[in-house]
Amino acid sequence: MTAKQESTFCVLPWIHSFVNIGGEYQVCCTGEEHDNYILSDVGHRLNIVDTIPVDNIMNTEFMKQFRQQMLNAKWPMFCKRCQITERDGGTSRRLLENFNYATIIPELINNTGSDGSILFSTICADYRLGNICNLSCRMCSPRASNQWNNLASKLIYQNNLFQANYRLSTRNNSWTSSQSLLDDFRQKVTTLSYLHFAGGEPLISANMKLMLKICVTENVAKKITLTYNTNITCIDTEILNLWKSFKEVKLLCSVDAYGELNDYIREGSSWKKIDSNLKFLEKNAKLYNISEILISTTVQAYNILYLDNIFFYLSNFKNIIHIPNLINLHHPNYLSTQVLPPRLKDLATKKCLELKQKYASNVNSQYRYLLDNITQVINYMNAENHSQELLDIFFEFNNYVDRITKKNLLKTIPEFRKYYVNTK
């Protein structure tokens, strides 16, 4: 791989299969907000119900051109988030995946046809089995959580507060219990090394449990690393026992703040339950084959001033990674850190820099990138000037949601009081 190629190449379009919430095939989850749907050669979005062999999907003109762009040292338009992350000094998913699969990259490139075609085997697969969830997080939508359906129906839609696609509170998720899903999975399961589930909430998905059982009955579980994005509010004993059959299990636990603030952001969650589950999983990690527990924190206007609390909380664990995986919220933009007024941005910058200095010696080299991501958080927040219009929408949105959920933004985050706009 040339030096130019190294600046844009990502291994995922060569080895990865991603099925999103509606059964759509996409390039990967990181760029899903950029509509990175894999298109057929006649231009329609490919879906799992189309029952097309995965090798054909990965060799559509869309995917061949996608790979050619990378090999020609160009950033595909769908890879914007990784590009921004790297621009801001963070470690993108692209860089992490290239590191994980570094040994096979030369062979993958050498075996790529001049037209971008490949002989495809699914090494890693990612499934989002519908939008069934038990939470309605503020930055989420009906698309990713059915718990938003009731909340969204009560919201007053005006001033483009909710984008039209977020108002689609119902979708046909029959594919998640279809033969098409099982056929798709059986195509891939014998070559898998990594299997990832997210949601909705994957740990309450009966279909996810069925797919684990297929891995066991096909006698391939022992070679598969199983990974999850989970809100860690629900633990199923049968699933825990299935994990024992796999090579290892890694948990990326979505926790956006400590205590009351987490429950404010992630409506329906209970900090007491989250704390109890994390302590249980740490204590029983070896029993249930769990090799890694990492907290994933979506950094947004709600929590950037309070990241120190989650860092301190994690320092009390022995085996849970002490530094959270900080991920900037890009959409909806009126909840991102970029909406903050200059004074709050300055305060957040100061607190983040203090965190990086304080915890510099508290992480080993394997997870150093997690600490480096603090720089990315700062740079992303300050990349755009404050927009009063977006801040007004932020307050408008929270006024509506607070009224429905009987919560109070200013009680939870008093720093906003000076800038508060009452839109009730």
Side-chain angles (χ1 to χ4, degrees):
M1 183 162 52
T2 66
K4 282 189 176 181
Q5 287 174 333
E6 285 183 1
S7 66
T8 59
F9 177 86
C10 176
V11 71
L12 291 184
W14 276 259
I15 65 170
H16 179 62
S17 176
F18 172 48
V19 179
N20 210 344
I21 293 167
E24 314 97 340
Y25 292 103
Q26 291 182 279
V27 178
C28 81
C29 70
T30 307
E32 64 173 316
E33 73 266 22
H34 299 291
D35 295 332
N36 65 352
Y37 298 95
I38 299 178
L39 304 179
S40 72
D41 290 349
V42 294
H44 83 268
R45 296 174 178 179
L46 291 174
N47 192 286
I48 202 168
V49 298
D50 296 328
T51 64
I52 298 174
V54 66
D55 182 67
N56 292 359
I57 292 168
M58 297 303 291
N59 279 293
T60 56
E61 286 301 315
F62 176 92
M63 288 305 300
K64 288 191 287 187
Q65 291 176 18
F66 199 98
R67 288 188 287 266
Q68 284 180 312
Q69 276 187 283
M70 287 185 168
L71 293 177
N72 290 329
K74 296 179 180 178
W75 279 97
M77 61 179 291
F78 306 113
C79 301
K80 194 72 174 177
R81 180 175 285 202
C82 280
Q83 188 177 14
I84 291 172
T85 298
E86 293 174 30
R87 178 203 70 188
D88 291 341
T91 302
S92 67
R93 184 179 181 189
R94 179 186 83 89
L95 294 176
L96 289 173
E97 298 291 0
N98 287 350
F99 177 82
N100 291 336
Y101 295 102
T103 58
I104 65 171
I105 289 175
E107 180 183 1
L108 293 173
I109 292 176
N110 290 337
N111 291 333
T112 302
S114 59
D115 63 346
S117 60
I118 58 172
L119 293 173
F120 183 77
S121 293
T122 310
I123 296 176
C124 57
D126 183 342
Y127 287 90
R128 312 295 163 99
L129 299 175
N131 68 344
I132 302 302
C133 190
N134 60 325
L135 305 183
S136 50
C137 302
R138 295 211 173 208
M139 62 288 186
C140 196
S141 71
R143 181 176 182 273
S145 170
N146 67 325
Q147 295 301 311
W148 253 96
N149 295 354
N150 185 48
L151 184 63
S153 69
K154 295 178 181 178
L155 282 172
I156 300 173
Y157 295 110
Q158 60 184 29
N159 300 328
N160 298 316
L161 184 61
F162 248 21
Q163 296 177 19
N165 63 321
Y166 278 15
R167 294 201 291 263
L168 298 176
S169 61
T170 59
R171 62 164 54 242
N172 183 359
N173 280 315
S174 60
W175 71 272
T176 64
S177 57
S178 69
Q179 188 61 41
S180 299
L181 169 62
L182 300 183
D183 290 344
D184 178 272
F185 186 60
R186 290 185 190 279
Q187 282 186 68
K188 304 168 183 175
V189 70
T190 57
T191 60
L192 284 179
S193 296
Y194 292 86
L195 175 58
H196 182 74
F197 293 104
E201 171 48 44
L203 293 185
I204 62 174
S205 169
N207 305 299
M208 183 278 297
K209 191 185 300 185
L210 176 60
M211 293 164 77
L212 296 190
K213 291 178 179 178
I214 290 174
C215 293
V216 174
T217 57
E218 292 288 336
N219 201 31
V220 295
K222 280 296 181 188
K223 71 180 185 67
I224 295 175
T225 294
L226 189 59
T227 63
Y228 291 87
N229 281 98
T230 171
N231 62 40
I232 214 62
T233 60
C234 304
I235 295 180
D236 182 302
T237 302
E238 185 179 6
I239 292 172
L240 292 177
N241 286 323
L242 282 168
W243 288 354
K244 297 176 182 179
S245 298
F246 286 80
K247 180 180 178 181
E248 60 180 339
V249 179
K250 297 184 177 184
L251 302 177
L252 192 59
C253 304
S254 296
V255 179
D256 289 335
Y258 174 84
E260 178 187 354
L261 180 56
N262 185 76
D263 294 348
Y264 179 85
I265 298 170
R266 306 180 68 83
E267 177 66 25
S269 66
S270 163
W271 178 256
K272 183 177 179 180
K273 186 66 174 176
I274 291 169
D275 177 55
S276 174
N277 285 348
L278 287 173
K279 289 174 179 174
F280 171 83
L281 291 171
E282 179 179 56
K283 181 180 179 180
N284 296 283
K286 187 174 182 180
L287 175 62
Y288 295 119
N289 206 17
I290 302 170
S291 63
E292 180 179 274
I293 303 174
L294 176 62
I295 301 303
S296 179
T297 299
T298 301
V299 182
Q300 51 202 291
Y302 298 116
N303 64 0
I304 191 167
L305 295 170
Y306 295 91
L307 294 178
D308 52 341
N309 291 337
I310 196 71
F311 274 72
F312 179 76
Y313 171 72
L314 291 177
S315 68
N316 294 308
F317 288 92
K318 291 182 178 179
N319 297 316
I320 295 179
I321 309 306
H322 285 175
I323 308 298
N325 183 35
L326 302 178
I327 303 172
N328 284 312
L329 176 73
H330 289 239
H331 300 281
N333 60 352
Y334 54 83
L335 300 184
S336 82
T337 57
Q338 293 181 347
V339 308
L340 295 176
R343 179 181 170 276
L344 293 186
K345 284 188 179 185
D346 289 345
L347 178 60
T349 298
K350 179 176 180 291
K351 296 187 76 168
C352 285
L353 289 172
E354 289 172 350
L355 274 178
K356 187 166 186 177
Q357 182 178 10
K358 181 176 181 179
Y359 290 92
S361 61
N362 204 29
V363 59
N364 63 39
S365 58
Q366 178 184 359
Y367 297 105
R368 182 74 197 182
Y369 75 93
L370 296 173
L371 196 62
D372 292 340
N373 277 343
I374 294 177
T375 301
Q376 174 210 178
V377 165
I378 295 170
N379 290 339
Y380 177 76
M381 175 178 61
N382 293 312
E384 296 289 337
N385 292 329
H386 162 65
S387 165
Q388 186 60 46
E389 179 183 2
L390 287 179
L391 186 63
D392 290 346
I393 295 174
F394 171 81
F395 286 125
E396 181 182 9
F397 171 79
N398 283 289
N399 285 338
Y400 290 142
V401 178
D402 282 355
R403 187 187 309 168
I404 296 165
T405 60
K406 297 181 171 32
K407 300 285 180 69
N408 188 308
L409 173 70
L410 301 184
K411 179 181 177 182
T412 308
I413 312 172
E415 287 85 352
F416 282 121
R417 189 175 301 278
K418 180 179 179 180
Y419 310 95
Y420 176 64
V421 176
N422 189 339
T423 61
K424 293 183 181 179

